[in-house]
Amino acid sequence: EDMTKQSNSSSSSASTSTVVAASAAAAVGAIAGTYFYKQRNNDNKMEGIKTQVEGLTKQVKGALHLGRPAGSTKGSPPKEGERKYLIGGNWKCNGNVASLTELIDTFNKAGPIPANAKVAICAPFIHIPLCLSKLREDIAVGAQNCGVNEKEGAYTGEICASQLKDIGCVWVVIGHSERREGFGMAGEDSELVAKKVKVALDAGLKVMFAIGEKKEERENGTTNDVCASQLAPAAKLLEEKDWENVAIAYEPVWAIGTGLTATPEMAQETHAFIRKWMSENVSEAVAKAIRIQYGGSMKGANAKDLLAQPDIDGGLIGGASLKADFFNVINGVSQDE
């Protein structure tokens, strides 16, 4: 999974991918034309031609990824039994083609990623193809939401998990507080969030499952109750093996985008509770293995202290993921000297 070689220049690869994609697309068109012509004359040969069309269609998809530089790693991978950090960037509804192309170039030149960390960028839907064609390969690409519908169909304006998987996404964020609360629309309750998590997992995606309390809930001492209530529907719906592809993103709502951050000790206390709850309500094995990210104004300046806590296994990063500072967060993971 982790790439250890630097790629050739992205401009050369991008040029190659364009030529390959164009050639493959032309071949698809030619064979498809032959397919429909011969269908009227000789149905016995159609299966072979159909297979060729499908194969070349896969080549077109593959060619779109040829422009991605490989990236590189440093340090040692996690020891047996240790959890690998997960640093996720959530671009939210930000960026345009020009600004994100520039940001991707910054990330591509930012140097090696620690071998004991996995990194992902969850982009707006319309910018996922940009990431899949230009972003370094050692940063996985994901989405910020998916539909509750299990299959494609008459769901106007929706994007289903299988479509995200098909285009090349690895991760999806489900249950972010902004979607739970709603913004000019009804929010998503915990039962709906759990259903989406299951749909995404069944489609082959990995999920950053977000939970967290509001300011008044923190102040009245119900943080643990809120987190438990958000976890419970998923614990009932998911099978134990499903949790292998889930990371829990604890995001105190009062700290998201406000500049306020839970102290490392506060965050660790809640993360420890979440792990204990998972042990008691799912299984001890899942609790030990699952990664629990912290989200809530994590940035380069505070990442190291937060990530040094025993139950904090990464971050779900908002504002800092839109800046070069994202790599300061990545490099904040604890590494063996």
Side-chain angles (χ1 to χ4, degrees), residues 118-142:
K118 294 296 294 182
V119 181
I121 287 292
C122 295
F125 289 131
I126 59 171
H127 294 310
I128 288 172
L130 178 67
C131 293
L132 289 171
S133 65
K134 294 183 179 294
L135 183 62
R136 54 192 288 172
E137 287 186 335
D138 55 352
I139 299 180
V141 178

Side-chain angles (χ1 to χ4, degrees), residues 166-183:
D166 177 65
I167 201 174
C169 286
V170 177
W171 289 92
V172 62
V173 177
I174 301 291
H176 193 281
S177 64
E178 291 158 4
R179 297 201 63 84
R180 289 179 183 268
E181 186 69 17
F183 29 84

Side-chain angles (χ1 to χ4, degrees), residues 145-275:
N145 182 41
C146 72
V148 71
N149 46 304
E150 297 178 5
K151 299 179 180 179
E152 302 172 26
Y155 307 100
T156 301
E158 198 56 274
I159 295 178
C160 69
S162 61
Q163 291 173 315
L164 295 174
K165 178 67 175 179
D166 177 65
I167 201 174
C169 286
V170 177
W171 289 92
V172 62
V173 177
I174 301 291
H176 193 281
S177 64
E178 291 158 4
R179 297 201 63 84
R180 289 179 183 268
E181 186 69 17
F183 29 84
M185 62 180 188
E188 300 177 355
D189 62 32
S190 293
E191 286 71 25
L192 176 58
V193 169
K195 290 176 183 176
K196 284 188 170 188
V197 171
K198 180 60 174 172
V199 166
L201 293 170
D202 288 348
L205 292 170
K206 298 180 180 182
V207 176
M208 298 184 208
F209 173 30
I211 64 171
E213 83 284 1
K214 298 178 182 178
K215 187 171 186 289
E216 58 269 26
E217 293 165 337
R218 164 65 67 171
E219 291 174 344
N220 66 24
T222 58
T223 293
N224 291 350
D225 293 337
V226 171
C227 290
S229 69
Q230 293 172 346
L231 288 166
K236 292 178 181 178
L237 191 59
L238 303 188
E239 299 177 19
E240 184 168 338
K241 64 181 178 61
D242 287 330
W243 291 98
E244 296 174 4
N245 292 309
V246 176
I248 297 171
Y250 166 63
E251 296 194 299
V253 179
W254 49 270
I256 298 174
T258 64
L260 300 173
T261 308
T263 66
E265 294 74 22
M266 288 169 62
Q268 165 58 25
E269 182 180 21
T270 305
H271 280 234
F273 165 78
I274 292 168
R275 200 174 302 283

Side-chain angles (χ1 to χ4, degrees), residues 56-139:
L56 284 167
T57 300
K58 290 180 180 179
Q59 288 184 38
V60 172
K61 282 186 179 180
L64 295 176
H65 297 250
L66 290 178
R68 300 183 70 180
S72 60
T73 61
K74 64 180 180 181
S76 302
K79 297 174 183 176
E80 185 175 355
E82 291 182 343
R83 295 181 295 271
K84 197 168 193 175
Y85 288 97
L86 174 62
I87 307 296
N90 177 14
W91 284 351
K92 304 190 179 184
C93 186
N94 287 299
N96 54 46
V97 172
S99 66
L100 295 180
T101 297
E102 182 178 355
L103 182 62
I104 287 170
D105 185 59
T106 298
F107 289 172
N108 289 348
K109 296 175 180 176
I113 289 173
N116 62 337
K118 294 296 294 182
V119 181
I121 287 292
C122 295
F125 289 131
I126 59 171
H127 294 310
I128 288 172
L130 178 67
C131 293
L132 289 171
S133 65
K134 294 183 179 294
L135 183 62
R136 54 192 288 172
E137 287 186 335
D138 55 352
I139 299 180

